[in-house]
Amino acid sequence: MVQKKEFLYEGKAKKIYRTDDPAVVLVEFKDEATAFDGVKKDRLEDKGILNNRLSALFFSLLEKQGIETHYLKTVSEREMLVKFLEIIPVEVIVRNIAAGSLSERLGIPEKTELKKTVLEFSLKDDQLHDPMINHYHIYAMELAEPEEMAEIERIALKVNQILVPYLKEKNIVLVDFKLEFGRHNGKILLGDEISPDTCRFWDSSSGEKLDKDRFRRDMGGVIEAYREVLRRLEENDTPAVD
Ligand code: TMP
Ligand code: ASP
């Protein structure tokens, strides 16, 4: 049994702890919610529990489909063990339908289906407000190698191919989502989390938002929406927590 050791790092939604195995860290999902680079903040009771469950569920599903992720094991309500990654500070955004910053930037009305899946990259840097970057910036700043970016893009598109039909079955439209990657033993692995904090989920029938946009836009019912996503994913499924 891997032992939790000293605190290593605190992000906006998670805390990371060392373990007695240097190749493994423990992630604790917090209830804190932030938006707009931490300008808007609140505590949403149980969000950490729900995102721990949801992330474990998504990572397990992806692993079964041949995607290597950092996920190892759920160890408590709010904690999972993951492989230690050397994080690549690039956020990878995958978009199927226009929404959020894409609609604002390009004037494409929200809900417009994109004719081709869009991949975007942004520099993971809150102080700079996660600016959008392209491959030239990534290589100029030595954030990743071209072969690594090719692998990252391949995985990101495969994750989309797996999650879109899976969620559709649950009456959820996967509008867009953000992924993070890192290096582990010379391989690129999917890291961070996959949850309503990092995805846009819309109810297929009503179009109702089932994600963090409810918090960003002060719509209320945030936790209820996260719970509803978990309920749909766990229906006829084996629980993610063991
Ligand atoms: P955006 O439309 O605001 O750029 O967001 C695109 C997707 O990325 C959306 O599913 C929410 C997610 N996202 C994050 O996970 N973290 C972030 O910091 C931002 C801005 C978006
Ligand atoms: N940028 C993230 C979001 O809005 C969180 C934050 O910026 O504090 O999803």
Side-chain angles (χ1 to χ4, degrees), residues 121-134:
F121 308 100
S122 46
L123 178 66
K124 200 171 149 57
D125 187 328
D126 273 351
Q127 290 195 328
L128 297 175
H129 310 294
D130 297 346
M132 194 190 260
I133 51 176
N134 64 30

Side-chain angles (χ1 to χ4, degrees), residues 91-153:
E91 298 193 343
V92 179
I93 293 156
V94 183
R95 300 184 185 268
N96 297 305
I97 295 174
S101 70
L102 179 90
S103 292
E104 280 174 38
R105 214 173 334 110
L106 302 181
I108 306 174
E110 286 220 335
K111 302 189 186 140
T112 308
E113 201 169 311
L114 299 165
K115 295 290 177 220
K116 190 175 192 312
T117 305
V118 170
L119 281 190
E120 294 174 349
F121 308 100
S122 46
L123 178 66
K124 200 171 149 57
D125 187 328
D126 273 351
Q127 290 195 328
L128 297 175
H129 310 294
D130 297 346
M132 194 190 260
I133 51 176
N134 64 30
H135 290 86
Y136 289 89
H137 301 111
I138 291 170
Y139 306 143
M141 295 173 77
E142 298 187 305
L143 304 176
E145 298 291 329
E147 304 72 48
E148 292 178 321
M149 286 310 294
E151 177 69 352
I152 285 172
E153 287 170 38

Side-chain angles (χ1 to χ4, degrees), residues 38 99 103 192 234:
S103 292
D192 194 48
E234 283 186 344

Side-chain angles (χ1 to χ4, degrees), residues 51-231:
N51 282 355
N52 188 34
R53 291 260 286 269
L54 283 161
S55 286
L57 201 147
F58 282 121
F59 285 138
S60 306
L61 173 84
L62 292 171
E63 289 275 355
K64 277 191 208 131
Q65 304 283 328
I67 304 247
E68 281 198 74
T69 78
H70 70 160
Y71 177 70
L72 289 169
K73 192 176 192 296
T74 298
V75 285
S76 78
E77 257 191 338
R78 294 179 179 274
E79 297 170 319
M80 59 168 65
L81 293 173
V82 304
K83 293 176 187 163
F84 176 81
L85 299 187
E86 183 195 335
I87 292 291
I88 297 172
V90 174
E91 298 193 343
V92 179
I93 293 156
V94 183
R95 300 184 185 268
N96 297 305
I97 295 174
S101 70
L102 179 90
S103 292
E104 280 174 38
R105 214 173 334 110
L106 302 181
I108 306 174
E110 286 220 335
K111 302 189 186 140
T112 308
E113 201 169 311
L114 299 165
K115 295 290 177 220
K116 190 175 192 312
T117 305
V118 170
L119 281 190
E120 294 174 349
F121 308 100
S122 46
L123 178 66
K124 200 171 149 57
D125 187 328
D126 273 351
Q127 290 195 328
L128 297 175
H129 310 294
D130 297 346
M132 194 190 260
I133 51 176
N134 64 30
H135 290 86
Y136 289 89
H137 301 111
I138 291 170
Y139 306 143
M141 295 173 77
E142 298 187 305
L143 304 176
E145 298 291 329
E147 304 72 48
E148 292 178 321
M149 286 310 294
E151 177 69 352
I152 285 172
E153 287 170 38
R154 185 190 69 78
I155 300 171
L157 292 172
K158 188 155 177 225
V159 168
N160 193 45
Q161 270 177 7
I162 295 166
L163 294 189
V164 167
Y166 168 75
L167 287 162
K168 192 173 175 198
E169 281 274 301
K170 316 279 180 184
N171 218 35
I172 293 171
V173 179
L174 180 60
V175 176
D176 55 32
F177 56 99
K178 187 261 299 178
L179 300 175
E180 295 184 24
F181 295 86
R183 305 178 184 97
H184 182 90
N185 291 340
K187 266 196 198 159
I188 296 286
L189 303 192
L190 179 59
D192 194 48
E193 66 179 276
I194 303 180
S195 74
D197 272 14
T198 61
C199 302
R200 282 198 174 93
F201 295 136
W202 293 348
D203 180 88
S204 305
S205 321
S206 65
E208 190 189 356
K209 295 186 195 306
L210 299 172
D211 57 60
K212 197 169 139 187
D213 270 350
R214 300 196 73 86
F215 171 72
R216 295 190 189 96
R217 302 181 189 193
D218 291 321
M219 297 169 76
V222 186
I223 283 306
E224 291 76 3
Y226 283 42
R227 258 190 230 293
E228 174 59 17
V229 173
L230 183 65
R231 189 192 66 75

